[in-house]
Amino acid sequence: MAVDTTLTSEIIDNLLKPVYDTMNMKPLEEMDEEIQLSRSDIKRFVIGREKFAALVIENQYPFAGASTGHCDLFIFRFNGKNWETADFMIEAGSGGMYGNSGSLHSFTVIGKETVCFALSGGQTHMGTLYYDDLVIFSQNKLKKACTVTTKYSYGDWDDNSDETRFCYNVQYAFLPSEKAVYDLQLVKRSCLKEDKDQILDKIVVPFDNRDSMFKIPQAFDESLP
């Protein structure tokens, strides 16, 4: 007899209920509005012979200036009879200013027993900073592996200005190999008009098995003033 592995909205509701029933959904005490939750599409994957499904919950905050929304990540496992929660991470990814929750950007297999979820966010404050929080799932556990700055810009955009100006994009990719977790390649390119797309830096970052993360060098890590 075939086993029904359908993951219905009702099943998901029951799996999420123990988590969100215990949380305060008001971002600030003085706010009457509650955080609005929305769900990504289900992402299914298999590790070994086990069936899994991933769901991102977007937490959209009320419009409140610098308040920042976030994404929660849930992994469900089919145990042969029923769906159960394998692991979850609250605030797995940060969104951006004005309550922006961020979103699931991509889902990638990065090893025989490891998958990676990229949760995109960003903010603008005297400049622009966009980033992907990379969260891996391996051995039934979620772990934040790193944050990759995907776009950074700061400074006067007047081409005739002598002020300091920065603008670059970072493209990243996992390099398939026989390693348990693939290496992460980062390529930094300029987005200034005078040298657009010029490669500024390029590096391959191996996965640190001891700390379960990719250690991004400071040259690829930025923050806004």
Side-chain angles (χ1 to χ4, degrees), residues 37-197:
L37 303 181
S38 58
R39 303 177 184 180
S40 71
D41 293 334
I42 289 288
K43 304 297 182 183
R44 289 177 177 263
F45 59 97
V46 175
I47 295 179
R49 295 184 178 180
E50 289 192 287
K51 295 181 174 63
F52 295 91
L55 176 69
V56 169
I57 305 294
E58 298 175 6
N59 293 251
Q60 181 79 38
Y61 280 46
F63 183 89
S67 66
T68 304
H70 64 267
C71 289
D72 305 327
L73 176 58
F74 288 79
I75 305 295
F76 307 126
R77 175 180 55 226
F78 190 74
N79 62 19
K81 294 183 179 180
N82 304 298
W83 285 97
E84 60 186 10
T85 301
D87 199 10
F88 67 91
M89 182 181 291
I90 302 300
E91 297 189 26
S94 58
M97 296 176 66
Y98 309 112
N100 175 29
S101 64
S103 60
L104 177 62
H105 172 65
S106 64
F107 158 72
T108 311
V109 177
I110 63 170
K112 290 183 179 179
E113 299 183 355
T114 305
V115 296
C116 179
F117 301 89
L119 304 172
S120 293
Q123 57 180 302
T124 299
H125 177 66
M126 297 176 64
T128 299
L129 177 67
Y130 292 103
Y131 45 80
D132 282 0
D133 290 310
L134 302 188
V135 181
I136 61 172
F137 180 70
S138 181
Q139 297 180 344
N140 290 320
K141 293 292 182 182
L142 286 166
K143 168 75 176 179
K144 187 171 290 189
C146 68
T147 298
V148 177
T149 297
T150 55
K151 182 170 183 177
Y152 177 77
S153 64
Y154 179 76
D156 193 333
W157 282 94
D158 182 354
D159 286 342
N160 297 320
S161 173
D162 293 329
E163 298 292 330
T164 301
R165 296 179 299 134
F166 300 97
C167 184
Y168 67 77
N169 300 311
V170 175
Q171 293 178 314
Y172 66 91
F174 294 99
L175 306 177
S177 68
E178 295 301 316
K179 292 184 177 181
V181 180
Y182 300 159
D183 293 341
L184 176 64
Q185 178 179 269
L186 305 173
V187 181
K188 179 193 289 189
R189 286 184 169 87
S190 172
C191 49
L192 291 172
K193 292 180 180 179
E194 57 266 30
D195 54 5
K196 187 175 177 60
D197 295 330

